[in-house]
Amino acid sequence: MMELDLKRNVGRNPERNLERHLERHRTELTGYCYRMLGSGFEAEDAVQEALVRAWRTYDPDRGPLRAWLFHLATNVCLDMLRGPQRRARAMDLGPAATPGAPLGVPLPPERWIQPVPDARVLDPADVAVGRETVRLAFVAALQHLPPRQRAVLILRDVLRWSAAETATLLATTVASVNSALQRARAALPATAPLDAEVDEALLTRYVTAFERYDVDTLVSLLREDATSSMSPFTWWLRGRAAVHAVLLASDAPCAGSRLVPVRANGCPAFGQYLNGEPFALVVMEVAGGLIAGQTTYLDPGLFPLFGLPMSFEPALRTDG
């Protein structure tokens, strides 16, 4: 029905009507490009380029607008993925560190899976279905696949395109699509499930303990096998005991922080302010009612993407 409406109305006021119809697809396209690229910034760049190309080239007689947009977005993403290195999480790059080990040399931003706001990639009508497929671990797992296999798996298993639709989009055959999907499924690393809903009381306890630097309470909220990482460093920890040891030895560097809640990658997240200045974005993964993973991004440049202010009243520093 929307495509018929587009054919009927583009001619009346082509610029305004085409722009309106293009914008209807922005969230879905951004989610697709994010899964392909592993970066919210790059995903938005890719979508913008696809929309510009669609503005210049779309003809309603050619076929549905949505299919043409995904064709363009796929080509943009494949072009952007020609480099030799894939984005990853710290856990993909080496073994867990031991408490007391140095952080090491930071890696450049293009090496990391970056977080993305839920609102940019999840359709409110489909948020429960899409949440699992934008988790940091799942997006990192996708990066192990060759780009075309990655596109096939996302289109078929995440966005539920048919094999025929996917073949048309990729200018290939149904048999080729089915073969690529089979190989992608076999090669995709497994990811552990997370809680669909997170207990708000858990998050409240976490915020209170974090802002007071209450180490014992913070550690009590972790699973025994919890992980903690801190981009842009490959250093990461596994296990409640290791996290506890590092927190006790670190002389409370984040005491007095303020946490502002946001949503990232289908998970609760927080903008962390230190002395009133943006310091880090913290993404929480919760499983079994406890914190299973904490990924800290030491990049204040992420704050505008999440609509977070660039200054915030600091909390009073406390000793517990």
Side-chain angles (χ1 to χ4, degrees), residues 191-227:
T191 57
L194 300 179
D195 292 353
E197 300 296 333
V198 176
D199 183 4
E200 289 298 324
L202 173 71
L203 301 180
T204 299
R205 291 179 65 198
Y206 175 84
V207 169
T208 300
F210 192 100
E211 292 184 347
R212 291 167 56 94
Y213 208 77
D214 179 350
V215 171
D216 288 340
T217 299
L218 278 173
V219 171
S220 74
L221 303 178
L222 302 178
R223 284 171 53 115
E224 189 64 39
D225 59 351
T227 61

Side-chain angles (χ1 to χ4, degrees), residues 7 41 54 95 126 143 192 195-196 235 301 317:
K7 287 184 178 182
F41 292 117
D126 231 6
Q143 310 310 302
D195 292 353
W235 175 98
R317 186 175 178 116

Side-chain angles (χ1 to χ4, degrees), residues 17-253:
N17 282 291
L18 182 55
E19 180 179 2
R20 176 166 55 88
H21 286 283
L22 290 172
E23 284 299 320
R24 287 180 180 178
H25 297 281
R26 183 181 289 275
T27 299
E28 185 183 31
L29 282 171
T30 305
Y32 173 62
C33 292
Y34 176 70
R35 295 176 182 100
M36 286 289 292
L37 300 170
S39 163
F41 292 117
E42 286 192 355
E44 293 204 334
D45 288 345
V47 169
Q48 192 59 38
E49 177 62 23
L51 294 177
V52 169
R53 293 185 187 184
W55 181 274
R56 294 171 178 167
T57 63
Y58 180 63
D59 179 353
D61 293 327
R62 175 177 287 166
L65 175 61
R66 180 172 181 259
W68 184 242
L69 282 169
F70 271 88
H71 168 75
L72 295 172
T74 300
N75 287 341
V76 172
C77 288
L78 292 177
D79 285 343
M80 295 173 72
L81 289 168
R82 294 190 189 281
Q85 291 181 329
R86 63 178 175 87
R87 290 182 179 269
R89 300 181 304 158
M91 289 74 82
D92 304 318
L93 300 176
T98 57
L103 293 178
V105 178
L107 297 184
E110 60 268 21
R111 291 297 310 279
W112 300 103
I113 296 292
Q114 297 286 354
V116 70
D118 282 11
R120 302 289 182 101
V121 296
L122 295 178
D123 187 326
D126 231 6
V127 66
V129 176
R131 188 182 291 135
E132 285 294 331
T133 67
V134 293
R135 307 286 200 203
L136 291 170
F138 182 78
V139 175
L142 287 172
Q143 310 310 302
H144 288 269
L145 302 177
R148 288 185 70 85
Q149 283 188 25
R150 194 182 312 171
V152 168
L153 186 135
I154 297 168
L155 290 166
R156 295 283 285 115
D157 284 357
V158 176
L159 300 178
R160 303 302 179 185
W161 287 52
S162 71
E165 290 170 328
T166 304
T168 299
L169 185 147
L170 295 175
T172 188
T173 64
V174 169
S176 177
V177 165
N178 289 336
S179 175
L181 180 61
Q182 185 177 14
R183 295 196 306 273
R185 286 172 175 170
L188 188 70
T191 57
L194 300 179
D195 292 353
E197 300 296 333
V198 176
D199 183 4
E200 289 298 324
L202 173 71
L203 301 180
T204 299
R205 291 179 65 198
Y206 175 84
V207 169
T208 300
F210 192 100
E211 292 184 347
R212 291 167 56 94
Y213 208 77
D214 179 350
V215 171
D216 288 340
T217 299
L218 278 173
V219 171
S220 74
L221 303 178
L222 302 178
R223 284 171 53 115
E224 189 64 39
D225 59 351
T227 61
S228 179
S229 61
M230 194 163 60
S231 167
F233 300 99
T234 58
W235 175 98
W236 66 284
L237 300 171
R238 182 184 295 281
R240 183 187 293 166
V243 174
H244 191 215
V246 169
L247 291 176
L248 285 178
S250 60
D251 195 29

Side-chain angles (χ1 to χ4, degrees), residues 263-279:
R263 293 284 307 186
N265 295 81
C267 295
F270 300 94
Q272 179 188 351
Y273 293 82
L274 189 59
N275 299 319
E277 300 298 321
F279 180 72

